[in-house]
């Protein structure tokens, strides 16, 4: 399957936006995992903005950045949302409530606890009536989302992928640890080249091989301990702007090799 990247959105500690992060990911300037405040979900109406959990703010921020750089209309794009754990803070609050002697479950908490919560807020924020899909594949969630978004792009011409993760509070976090306080990545993918294309991905699942590691030790720790950050080898390759092959984690027994080329070399392929 061949896909063309038209837009990228990125938000993580020390990686605030794709333009500002490229030199860090290319190893030109040092990585510093500085925490920055999460942006407000200004696309949402004020009442929805107050109720939206933090993970929605991450997903909406990267989705909007990718869309803006691609100049695509969200009302015309199917969207795929990929996350290993969804909204863990709300799950924790619900479980604490259920443990009370007289539990009184908040409808808002239930609304925010579902795995496709970000897809719902995305549709409200953008007014899009296009199909949304939410996928989860444990540590392979980013690769699963990329494959699903690629399939959607082949059918519809283009699709948006938004992948994100945040850690669970204790005690859930003691069982399923996610390292980064937040990590969000978004791609606008198209099935054919356009004036907005920046790179091309050729991919096909293969039998399990070792994933590509990230040269920077701090970023490699981020990759290993945050499922959405398993995309970092791809991001580093895109930042370096050198054609290459990277391998991403996928399901046990499988991996996802990606051949990356750039727009100025596409005519040579």
């Amino acid at each position: 399957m061949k896909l063309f990247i038209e837009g990228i959105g990125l938000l993580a500690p020390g990686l605030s936006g794709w333009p500002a992060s490229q030199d860090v990911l290319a190893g030109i300037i040092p990585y510093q995992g500085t925490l920055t405040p999460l942006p407000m979900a200004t696309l949402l109406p004020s009442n929805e903005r107050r109720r939206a959990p933090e993970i929605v703010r991450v997903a909406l921020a990267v989705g909007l950045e990718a869309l803006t750089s691609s100049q695509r209309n969200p009302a015309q794009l199917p969207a795929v949302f990929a996350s290993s754990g969804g909204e863990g803070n709300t799950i924790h609050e619900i479980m604490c409530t259920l443990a009370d002697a007289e539990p009184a479950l908040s409808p808002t908490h239930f609304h925010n606890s579902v795995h496709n919560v970000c897809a719902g807020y995305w549709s409200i924020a953008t007014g899009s009536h296009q199909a949304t899909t939410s996928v989860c594949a444990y540590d392979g969630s980013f690769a699963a989302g990329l494959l699903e978004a690629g399939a959607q792009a082949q059918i519809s011409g283009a699709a948006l992928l938004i992948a994100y993760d945040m850690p669970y509070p204790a005690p859930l976090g003691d069982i399923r640890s996610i390292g980064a306080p937040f990590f969000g990545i978004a791609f606008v993918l198209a099935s054919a080249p356009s004036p907005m294309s920046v790179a091309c991905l050729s991919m096909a699942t293969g039998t399990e091989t070792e994933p590509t590691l990230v040269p920077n030790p701090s970023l490699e720790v981020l990759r290993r301990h945050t499922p959405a950050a398993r995309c970092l080898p791809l991001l580093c390759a895109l930042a370096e702007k050198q054609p290459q092959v990277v391998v991403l984690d996928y399901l046990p027994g499988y991996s996802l090799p990606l051949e990356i080329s750039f727009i100025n070399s596409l005519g040579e392929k």
Side-chain angles (χ1 to χ4, degrees):
M1 179 162 54
K2 182 171 286 189
L3 296 167
F4 295 85
I5 297 174
E6 295 186 348
I8 305 172
L10 175 62
L11 184 63
L15 301 171
S16 185
W18 177 242
S21 302
Q22 291 185 63
D23 283 351
V24 176
L25 294 166
I28 297 172
I29 60 177
Y31 171 67
Q32 297 180 338
T34 308
L35 283 178
T36 55
L38 295 180
M40 296 299 296
T42 53
L43 285 179
L44 287 171
S46 58
N47 59 327
E48 299 292 347
R49 193 183 311 154
R50 285 193 298 271
R51 298 193 303 176
E54 287 186 336
I55 200 166
V56 169
R57 292 162 63 182
V58 174
L60 264 58
V62 296
L64 181 61
E65 183 188 1
L67 271 178
T68 301
S69 57
S70 74
Q71 300 182 14
R72 291 270 187 176
N73 182 347
Q76 299 174 343
L77 281 183
V80 175
F81 295 80
S83 176
S84 172
E87 204 339 62
N89 285 307
T90 301
I91 296 293
H92 171 78
E93 292 175 6
I94 288 176
M95 295 180 75
C96 289
T97 299
L98 293 175
D100 288 344
E102 297 182 3
L105 192 60
S106 159
T108 298
H109 280 164
F110 180 77
H111 166 85
N112 285 342
S113 70
V114 294
H115 190 263
N116 64 345
V117 60
C118 292
Y121 278 104
W122 176 260
S123 298
I124 295 170
T126 62
S128 174
H129 293 175
Q130 290 291 320
T132 61
T133 305
S134 294
V135 300
C136 171
Y138 203 63
D139 285 342
S141 293
F142 174 78
L146 182 59
L147 286 167
E148 176 64 22
Q152 295 276 352
Q154 299 301 316
I155 296 169
S156 305
L160 171 67
L161 167 64
I162 302 178
Y164 44 87
D165 274 307
M166 295 184 79
Y168 293 114
L172 292 175
D174 297 335
I175 299 171
R176 172 57 166 160
S177 176
I178 293 178
F182 57 89
F183 193 100
I185 178 68
F187 289 103
V188 173
L189 304 166
S191 60
S194 76
M196 302 310 296
S197 300
V198 295
C200 175
L201 303 180
S202 297
M203 60 181 180
T205 55
T207 54
E208 188 170 23
T209 56
E210 289 296 317
T212 302
L213 306 184
V214 179
N216 182 294
S218 298
L219 289 173
E220 174 59 17
V221 170
L222 192 63
R223 185 196 72 83
R224 285 180 179 274
H225 297 287
T226 308
R230 301 296 172 104
C231 67
L232 277 169
L234 168 60
L235 295 181
C236 290
L238 292 171
E240 292 167 1
K241 298 182 175 61
Q242 295 296 322
Q244 55 190 288
V245 175
V246 300
V247 179
L248 303 185
D249 290 300
Y250 188 34
L251 302 174
Y254 295 91
S255 57
L256 183 61
L258 301 173
E259 182 182 356
I260 305 161
S261 56
F262 292 85
I263 199 65
N264 58 2
S265 63
L266 295 179
E268 301 171 2
K269 293 178 68 68

